[in-house]
Amino acid sequence: MYSIALIAAVGITLVSAWDISLHIDQEASNGIGGEVLESQPVISIFNKSGTKKYSGIVGRVVASLVSSSSYHQEILGFVSAEGCTTIGFEDGVSVDLNDSEVHFSGLCINRAGLGYSIRYLFFDEFDILLGDGLQSNISIEVGQPYKIGVVQAPERVQGGVAWELNPIVSVQDKGQNIVTGIGEGNVTIELATNAISETIVFDIEQEVEFDEIYRVISPSIMEWHNGTAEFRGISIKTAGYQYRLLFSTDFDLPGGNTCISSEITVDVGPPHSLSVIEEPTLGPVYGAKIFVHQPIVHIIDAGNNIVDTDSTSTVTVFLYSNPTNAILQPIDMTMTRAENGIARFNKLSIAKAGEGYRFQYSLWSGFSDSIHKSEHSNITALGKAEALKVLREPVSSWAGNQPFKVQPKVALVDAGGNTLSEVSNVDFETIVVQSLSQSSHIIIDTRNDDIPMVERIEYSSSIVEDGLDAYSNGHSILIHVMFSQEVFVSFDQDREQDSAIRPWLKLNVLDEDGLHGRAYLQEPFHLDRAYDDLIFVYEVDVNSEQSMVDVLDSEALESNDYIIKDALERNASLVLPIFDASKTLAGSKTFAIHSQPALIVQIGAIIEDGIYGAGQDVDFVAHFTHEVAVKGTPLLPLQIKSSIVIVDTASLGTSLSTSYFYIWYKGEKSDSVPWDASSSFVKATIQNLENVRGSVCVSRSLSLLSKEVGGFRWAIRFEDIKDDLKGNFSTEQAAVVRQQKAIDLQLTFVVRDKPFNDWEQNDGETTMCTVRSAQYVNGTGSKYLSFRFRSMPGDEAAPLTIPLPVTIGTSSGSDKITNAINNGAPSNIAAGLGWEYAISNNILIETQQPQIINIVIDSTASVDNIIYVGDTVSFNFEFDMPVIILGAPELRLISVRNSGACATFDTQPTSNHAIFTYSVLEGHWSNNLDFSDGVNLYFHENATNLVLRKSTFSITPANLALPSDILSSLSSFVVDGKSPRITTIQYADDQDETVGLGDTLNLDIYFSSPVIILKGAPILAMTAGSSYSEASYDSGNQTAILQFKYIVAVGDHSSSGLRIKMLCVESGCLEGSSREGTILQDSANPSANADLRLPLPQFGSALSDFILDSSVVIDTTDIRQTFVIATSIWHHEGIVAVGESILPRETTNQA
């Protein structure tokens, strides 16, 4: 019985002609929020006079809320087991007629408020709107406490940042209205189940400030205040999804004592501080030696989440506490760029020994000026003995083996020149060189020192910082092997030098033959040159695979046909320190090797479900198993119906010279197109038109209509959002003379997602221009490629799908997708571009323009369809599909003699209707506002982008062309926006021709349009003879004739006519009078003042008077005027005492 009311009626033009009306027998009563209205509406269908109830008529009545004076935008609901539900009733509650009556039941309104109005619409079985009614002034009160509910809570917040939108929970009735007056009981907030373990953090200071209104029991417990509780200072540290707030109260409620908020997403916030993860103090530190543990710093937000989106900020390290004035070296390595929120430093060292060094790290970011983090390091920078340092030179002495006057002083120092003061039991030997002309040298005997050994292995900084987590065939990976002291690489004389194998480093990567990958010593390298860092390079081989790359084992470094030794010719130890995780390859970076083609893991749309119109973008992402490189513009094919026009050759002309044609688009004519034009020629011809904004797809096939003479047909599709085939595209045949015959063409507009079965393509695009694709946008060098499809006018997809099997295609032979290698460069391994799984979504493409299918006009005109200042005319437009109205589109009324005359958007009673209202202003005028010729009524060009098809993201403009057949049936109006003026003043038609003393003169004032008298009656000032007189208002309000009456007095006569001085309505027009009246043009909303100036004078009288003619004779001459001759007093002469009377006496000329 109940259904969603989809109001899409046609034929509303018959409403005024049918003798049908809707009668509200019983109105809906006032009610309580969320509860069924006690009195439910009863509707009957009568004739317009209300005397006859129709029986047997089929139809339905739709009830919907249209307004509320308290501005509660609400949907009429229906009471069910779930309460007062509005889901499914957005366009109203519909009930079928039963014996010409509708008895509603279960209607309810959730939101409490005043002045609700319910509109009732009657539709017959063909959904033709036949009648409507309106019930106003319905009030909904707040009910009894029923449950608690969330009033507000944020949807997205940032980790560790106090929420700007404070959660508020309230005691509510069944309609979710807040029940005030409740101050007893407590409410508790906590986190419901979420994806990760986390708790709420409270800012106690903010809570204390709030304590004046809400009593804080504890940070997570508030006392009810007037039915609500607001929590402040809340934050969640850890970024994540699916957080929900759980509120509970000890206040007993029938509908439940708990409620849960909607999902809250905690995003990673902007950089807030730095967190030092690794420092040099984690291992030994030696002077001038590279720190074993290089600093690693995390950029974190206020919730200690790594800001993994930050790959642009830089972190700088310097010595905050520097007891020896040392320099942190190398200087150019003291600043590094963060990668995914992590800053890694390399090759840092301090030369001078000392204790109490402290580092300070500074962040320089677009998010913040600077963030500092200091850490104490306590570095004791003393290394191994590396050299002797002469502290004091010997001073000259006598020959004959006499001792030096000043003996030499020598210190044993480390690589940083620091004296090894704690080293003892060292023997020094001095040697005299053969000649003073030679330089003196100090030779250190290191024969008993440790042999060189491998201290650390790591990837080069270019690998560490490139952001890749997988590499494939063609990648070059550089590895550094660092020794405890300098070593030399020399050739083993026992080997064949021509076929000598360089030193290698075995990795745990297996190639296709099952052999371990080898990183070879990088060439060129110099024999017998000292190195403390040997560089090896690994070229990723075909079909190599490894999830996490590292050295094979501690014996992975082999010298092969070479020898790695120190300066004393001792072989270095090649054992790798794999038992210290920080010194292995995986300690500097973890990544995988994939030399198999990257494959598609998933393809999906990354926009929300809904209806999308022309010009909107639908984005897709293809997720690959590892990084890929893109060249050109790959395409992702989609299953979408496109608007295409087929230009078919029905027959050729008399000769080939007459077998050509033209293309018309938006009123512009193209160059001539020959009968056998190639697709590229047709494409270029169309694209050369100035009105064509974008590219065009053209496919050519042999014509079936003229196949025997070799005729062709062309499929044409526009590819730009601003170009639209519908209503704009046509052709013109060649001009001929005499008996010649022109080429005959046939145009067919189709919407297709695949070519005709008989489309024999022989030129141009191969699929009849039916294939649509999303174009590649970005993502090269990563695992995720973005594709974007922009819907065009005429597109259809319900829903949008990708044809199986999915294959990412290319627009040209140069487009490629391969495995990515160093820094995102393409490799020779083509990525796998096929995918076998269907993509599920609910994305619909609908780009048809809404059309106007009916117009209903209503006005406040009282008579003869004449509208005055303050009157309105409403134009109710019905569209064939739902629309939305943005801004203030205008409907121009061209024949109204005022350039600003237009109807503006007023309201939408349903999503398929839009009402525009024209208000008559002063100065507007038209003797015949007629719409039948389609010229006087049109939408201003600003409406094009303001009336749109209703969709998830509305962008498709409506077609606002007004149908001529509908316009021809509309009523015409007379617009009179001129101020009413007095056209004449005359005696009433029934006035006696002769009047005397005490008789009545009836005077009529004629106005050019009806007038209304407000705030007091006017008077008519005049003279009848020599005396001043006033005629009083009698009748005629809200008409064009005001009637006045005057009682003839002594001395009045009409020898010089009745002189009208003025029509007086307000104070100041007559001396000594007090009036507050006004005369306006009569209308539904009077506002135009009447022009009360008298008509042009008659009979040559003064300009200020209007003289009535002498058709009525005023005669008071036979009546003698009585006057006083003398006065006296009836009393004796003398003094008058108290209590005595004085009687005056008057003597007149007649009794």
Side-chain angles (χ1 to χ4, degrees):
M1 183 175 182
Y2 289 89
S3 63
I4 302 174
L6 299 177
I7 305 173
V10 294
I12 294 183
T13 51
L14 299 178
V15 170
S16 60
W18 289 13
D19 187 21
I20 290 178
S21 66
L22 180 149
H23 184 264
I24 303 174
D25 294 342
Q26 177 174 296
E27 294 186 334
S29 63
N30 297 334
I32 297 174
E35 300 183 20
V36 65
L37 300 178
E38 183 175 347
S39 176
Q40 295 287 312
V42 177
I43 308 299
S44 296
I45 305 303
F46 281 83
N47 60 1
K48 285 190 174 181
S49 63
T51 59
K52 175 185 177 184
K53 181 183 290 187
Y54 279 102
S55 60
I57 191 169
V58 178
R60 61 194 177 97
V61 175
V62 178
S64 61
L65 291 180
V66 292
S67 66
S68 163
S69 62
S70 52
Y71 301 104
H72 288 130
Q73 298 301 317
E74 183 60 81
I75 299 174
L76 191 64
F78 178 71
V79 171
S80 63
E82 291 77 23
C84 182
T85 180
T86 59
I87 299 175
F89 300 102
E90 290 81 358
D91 288 317
V93 178
S94 176
V95 180
D96 292 337
L97 278 177
N98 183 10
D99 193 22
S100 75
E101 291 184 350
V102 166
H103 292 259
F104 285 91
S105 64
L107 296 185
C108 56
I109 300 174
N110 281 314
R111 295 288 300 276
L114 304 174
Y116 279 107
S117 296
I118 299 180
R119 185 185 297 278
Y120 303 97
L121 301 175
F122 169 50
F123 295 91
D124 69 1
E125 69 270 31
F126 303 107
D127 266 350
I128 298 175
L129 180 61
L130 301 181
D132 66 346
L134 183 69
Q135 177 190 349
S136 303
N137 297 323
I138 300 173
S139 298
I140 302 298
E141 298 179 353
V142 178
Q144 294 299 312
Y146 180 72
K147 62 178 181 177
I148 65 172
V150 178
V151 176
Q152 71 175 30
E155 295 181 356
R156 301 190 79 94
V157 295
Q158 294 180 341
V161 178
W163 299 351
E164 294 182 359
L165 184 67
N166 298 319
I168 299 177
V169 65
S170 67
V171 178
Q172 300 176 352
D173 63 4
K174 290 184 178 181
Q176 302 180 10
N177 302 289
I178 298 175
V179 182
T180 58
I182 295 175
E184 298 180 357
N186 302 327
V187 58
T188 302
I189 185 174
E190 59 184 305
L191 279 181
T193 304
N194 56 81
I196 54 179
S197 178
E198 181 59 280
T199 58
I200 298 177
V201 178
F202 295 89
D203 184 343
I204 302 300
E205 292 184 1
Q206 288 199 37
E207 290 291 351
V208 171
E209 292 174 1
F210 203 53
D211 193 31
E212 296 179 1
I213 300 177
Y214 290 95
R215 183 165 171 263
V216 180
I217 308 302
S218 73
S220 61
I221 302 176
M222 300 288 292
E223 189 176 70
W224 290 112
H225 174 76
N226 204 23
T228 64
E230 180 177 356
F231 293 85
R232 286 191 175 184
I234 289 180
S235 65
I236 297 176
K237 286 189 173 182
T238 306
Y241 304 94
Q242 300 177 355
Y243 286 104
R244 290 178 182 268
L245 299 176
L246 173 63
F247 299 92
S248 57
T249 182
D250 55 5
F251 191 69
D252 192 21
L253 296 168
N257 295 11
T258 63
C259 64
I260 297 179
S261 71
S262 300
E263 288 187 1
I264 300 173
T265 298
V266 180
D267 296 321
V268 176
H272 178 266
S273 59
L274 298 175
S275 175
V276 180
I277 304 301
E278 185 168 334
E279 275 215 296
T281 53
L282 297 178
V285 179
Y286 303 112
K289 289 290 186 179
I290 296 175
F291 301 146
V292 175
H293 293 274
Q294 295 289 320
I296 300 177
V297 181
H298 286 179
I299 301 173
I300 59 176
D301 65 3
N304 296 329
N305 304 290
I306 297 177
V307 186
D308 53 7
T309 58
D310 188 358
S311 294
T312 59
S313 299
T314 58
V315 177
T316 303
V317 60
F318 65 94
L319 290 172
Y320 176 71
S321 177
N322 191 351
T324 66
N325 291 324
I327 298 175
L328 188 61
Q329 296 179 324
I331 295 177
D332 60 349
M333 300 293 285
T334 58
M335 177 182 289
T336 185
R337 181 174 59 85
E339 187 69 36
N340 297 329
I342 301 175
R344 302 175 187 270
F345 291 89
N346 290 289
K347 298 184 179 181
L348 295 180
S349 65
I350 297 176
K352 292 186 178 182
E355 292 190 9
Y357 287 111
R358 296 178 67 188
F359 293 107
Q360 178 168 299
Y361 303 90
S362 299
L363 169 68
W364 298 96
S365 166
F367 298 100
S368 176
D369 292 336
S370 64
I371 300 174
H372 302 284
K373 175 76 175 183
S374 297
E375 292 291 337
H376 191 275
S377 296
N378 279 328
I379 294 175
T380 303
L382 288 175
K384 296 181 180 180
E386 295 283 346
L388 289 176
K389 181 178 180 181
V390 178
L391 302 179
R392 185 173 62 207
E393 295 282 355
V395 179
S396 61
S397 181
W398 299 103
N401 292 324
Q402 295 296 316
F404 295 117
K405 293 179 180 180
V406 178
Q407 293 292 320
K409 187 175 183 180
V410 182
L412 186 62
V413 297
D414 64 9
N418 304 294
T419 301
L420 303 177
S421 58
E422 307 214 358
V423 177
S424 58
N425 299 323
V426 177
D427 295 329
F428 293 89
E429 180 181 356
T430 59
I431 303 173
V432 180
V433 298
Q434 297 178 355
S435 171
L436 293 176
S437 64
Q438 298 183 16
S439 298
S440 297
H441 293 279
I442 298 174
I443 300 174
I444 303 176
D445 186 357
T446 60
R447 287 170 292 182
N448 295 322
D449 286 357
D450 294 336
I451 63 174
M453 63 183 62
V454 178
E455 287 190 330
R456 189 169 73 255
I457 53 177
E458 64 182 25
Y459 296 111
S460 68
S461 59
S462 63
I463 297 296
V464 172
E465 298 173 0
D466 64 9
L468 300 180
D469 57 9
Y471 298 85
S472 59
N473 182 30
H475 263 110
S476 296
I477 300 174
L478 299 180
I479 302 172
H480 293 261
V481 178
M482 301 174 187
F483 288 85
S484 60
Q485 55 184 283
E486 292 177 339
V487 295
F488 300 82
V489 179
S490 61
F491 179 69
D492 189 347
Q493 300 299 326
D494 296 334
R495 306 296 178 95
E496 294 291 336
Q497 188 166 1
D498 293 341
S499 59
I501 301 175
R502 286 174 287 155
W504 67 36
L505 190 65
K506 286 185 178 180
L507 304 178
N508 61 352
V509 182
L510 293 176
D511 62 18
E512 58 183 344
D513 297 325
L515 300 177
H516 289 286
R518 294 169 173 81
Y520 288 89
L521 184 64
Q522 187 180 39
E523 292 183 315
F525 59 89
H526 299 280
L527 296 175
D528 300 323
R529 173 184 287 186
Y531 294 95
D532 60 3
D533 180 1
L534 294 181
I535 301 176
F536 293 76
V537 60
Y538 170 60
E539 301 284 349
V540 179
D541 199 4
V542 178
N543 297 326
S544 298
E545 294 290 332
Q546 179 59 44
S547 58
M548 188 174 76
V549 178
D550 208 337
V551 296
L552 180 62
D553 51 34
S554 61
E555 306 296 329
L557 179 57
E558 299 178 9
S559 60
N560 296 322
D561 294 335
Y562 291 80
I563 299 173
I564 302 175
K565 57 186 180 180
D566 65 4
L568 298 177
E569 300 293 328
R570 297 178 303 173
N571 289 341
S573 171
L574 304 183
V575 177
L576 303 178
I578 65 171
F579 300 106
D580 186 343
S582 65
K583 298 180 179 180
T584 64
L585 284 180
S588 61
K589 180 177 179 177
T590 58
F591 61 82
I593 294 292
H594 298 301
S595 44
Q596 297 294 328
L599 302 177
I600 297 175
V601 176
Q602 178 74 33
I603 297 178
I606 57 172
I607 60 172
E608 60 183 277
D609 291 347
I611 302 174
Y612 291 78
Q616 292 181 264
D617 293 334
V618 181
D619 292 327
F620 297 86
V621 168
H623 178 195
F624 288 82
T625 53
H626 42 278
E627 288 78 7
V628 292
V630 178
K631 180 181 179 183
T633 309
L635 303 173
L636 179 65
L638 305 174
Q639 194 85 27
I640 296 176
K641 293 182 178 180
S642 305
S643 287
I644 300 169
V645 61
I646 308 297
V647 180
D648 199 347
T649 304
S651 63
L652 295 178
T654 305
S655 64
L656 297 183
S657 62
T658 61
S659 297
Y660 63 91
F661 59 95
Y662 304 93
I663 290 173
W664 281 87
Y665 180 65
K666 291 185 177 180
E668 183 182 3
K669 185 177 180 181
S670 73
D671 295 333
S672 61
V673 180
W675 67 277
D676 60 348
S678 66
S679 59
S680 59
F681 183 93
V682 175
K683 178 176 181 177
T685 300
I686 298 175
Q687 290 182 169
N688 284 337
L689 293 171
E690 291 185 2
N691 289 330
V692 175
R693 302 297 183 88
S695 61
V696 179
C697 175
V698 180
S699 176
R700 190 180 75 171
S701 167
L702 292 175
S703 171
L704 298 182
L705 300 177
S706 58
K707 188 174 183 180
E708 66 281 356
V709 294
F712 294 99
R713 52 180 170 165
W714 298 266
I716 301 169
R717 186 190 76 228
F718 284 142
E719 297 183 319
D720 189 273
I721 183 62
K722 296 181 180 179
D723 296 324
D724 189 1
L725 286 170
K726 274 195 173 181
N728 294 313
F729 191 95
S730 61
T731 60
E732 178 183 326
Q733 300 172 355
V736 296
V737 296
R738 299 187 180 90
Q739 301 301 317
Q740 290 184 315
K741 179 183 175 185
I743 188 173
D744 187 13
L745 300 175
Q746 178 176 299
L747 258 64
T748 306
F749 291 88
V750 297
V751 179
R752 302 278 299 181
D753 59 1
K754 60 185 62 176
F756 296 142
N757 294 331
D758 55 10
W759 188 263
E760 301 178 19
Q761 182 270 343
N762 65 359
D763 182 48
E765 202 273 343
T766 59
T767 63
M768 206 180 87
C769 294
T770 57
V771 173
R772 302 295 301 282
S773 300
Q775 289 190 341
Y776 164 74
V777 178
N778 56 47
T780 184
S782 72
K783 295 180 182 179
Y784 302 91
L785 299 186
S786 297
F787 294 82
R788 176 167 294 167
F789 169 75
R790 177 163 294 174
S791 57
M792 299 298 165
D795 286 353
E796 294 180 14
L800 177 61
T801 59
I802 300 179
L804 293 177
V806 178
T807 301
I808 297 178
T810 57
S811 58
S812 67
S814 61
D815 297 338
K816 293 180 181 178
I817 301 179
T818 66
N819 287 13
I821 56 174
N822 299 63
N823 297 319
S827 70
N828 57 5
I829 300 177
L833 303 180
W835 198 51
E836 297 292 334
Y837 302 96
I839 298 174
S840 60
N841 61 60
N842 193 25
I843 298 171
L844 295 89
I845 304 294
E846 296 181 4
T847 62
Q848 296 83 357
Q849 290 182 286
Q851 310 283 331
I852 296 173
I853 59 174
N854 196 28
I855 307 172
V856 174
I857 293 183
D858 191 14
S859 76
T860 58
S862 58
V863 63
D864 297 330
N865 276 0
I866 302 176
I867 50 179
Y868 302 103
V869 175
D871 280 328
T872 59
V873 179
S874 64
F875 300 84
N876 189 340
F877 292 90
E878 182 184 5
F879 293 84
D880 60 353
M881 61 185 70
V883 296
I884 64 169
I885 311 296
L886 305 176
E890 296 179 354
L891 183 69
R892 288 298 174 90
L893 307 173
I894 193 65
S895 67
V896 177
R897 295 185 184 177
N898 184 290
S899 58
C902 63
T904 56
F905 171 69
D906 185 0
T907 185
Q908 277 192 271
T910 72
S911 57
N912 283 62
H913 292 79
I915 295 177
F916 289 74
T917 301
Y918 163 58
S919 298
V920 181
L921 303 178
E922 286 192 63
H924 290 190
W925 182 82
S926 174
N927 60 1
N928 186 19
L929 182 55
D930 184 11
F931 310 110
S932 60
D933 58 4
V935 174
N936 288 333
L937 191 69
Y938 70 93
F939 278 97
H940 187 260
E941 59 184 9
N942 77 336
T944 303
N945 296 316
L946 299 179
V947 183
L948 307 174
R949 174 172 179 160
K950 186 177 182 180
S951 64
T952 306
F953 298 98
S954 300
I955 196 171
T956 303
N959 181 354
L960 299 180
L962 305 180
S964 58
D965 57 333
I966 296 177
L967 290 175
S968 62
S969 64
L970 300 180
S971 302
S972 60
F973 292 87
V974 173
V975 179
D976 186 355
K978 296 180 180 180
S979 296
R981 58 183 177 81
I982 300 174
T983 58
T984 188
I985 304 174
Q986 62 186 43
Y987 295 110
D989 294 339
D990 57 353
Q991 176 63 52
D992 295 334
E993 293 183 357
T994 301
V995 293
L997 181 65
D999 290 335
T1000 300
L1001 282 178
N1002 297 307
L1003 304 175
D1004 292 344
I1005 300 181
Y1006 287 78
F1007 284 85
S1008 57
S1009 61
V1011 294
I1012 183 171
I1013 301 171
L1014 300 176
K1015 297 183 180 180
I1019 64 169
L1020 190 63
M1022 62 182 187
T1023 58
S1026 59
S1027 62
Y1028 168 77
S1029 304
E1030 294 180 358
S1032 59
Y1033 167 74
D1034 182 52
S1035 62
N1037 194 20
Q1038 294 185 282
T1039 70
I1041 305 174
L1042 297 185
Q1043 297 174 337
F1044 290 78
K1045 291 185 179 297
Y1046 172 67
I1047 306 299
V1048 177
V1050 175
D1052 289 344
H1053 61 84
S1054 58
S1055 60
S1056 58
L1058 194 66
R1059 290 178 175 268
I1060 306 298
K1061 297 290 186 179
M1062 68 176 65
L1063 180 61
C1064 184
V1065 295
E1066 58 186 356
S1067 296
C1069 63
L1070 290 175
E1071 183 177 354
S1073 63
S1074 177
R1075 302 181 184 281
E1076 297 296 334
T1078 184
I1079 297 178
L1080 305 176
Q1081 186 180 55
D1082 185 34
S1083 68
N1085 182 27
S1087 59
N1089 286 300
D1091 183 354
L1092 303 184
R1093 290 177 298 177
L1094 300 179
L1096 292 176
Q1098 301 178 12
F1099 312 117
S1101 63
L1103 292 178
S1104 60
D1105 296 344
F1106 179 87
I1107 302 177
L1108 269 67
D1109 58 33
S1110 301
S1111 59
V1112 175
V1113 177
I1114 304 174
D1115 186 6
T1116 60
T1117 56
D1118 292 339
I1119 301 175
R1120 296 181 63 191
Q1121 186 173 7
T1122 303
F1123 54 88
V1124 178
I1125 299 174
T1127 60
S1128 61
I1129 297 176
W1130 288 87
H1131 198 278
H1132 59 81
E1133 295 183 359
I1135 300 172
V1136 181
V1138 175
E1140 291 185 285
S1141 298
I1142 298 176
L1143 300 177
R1145 180 178 60 183
E1146 294 181 347
T1147 302
T1148 62
N1149 64 331
Q1150 59 180 341

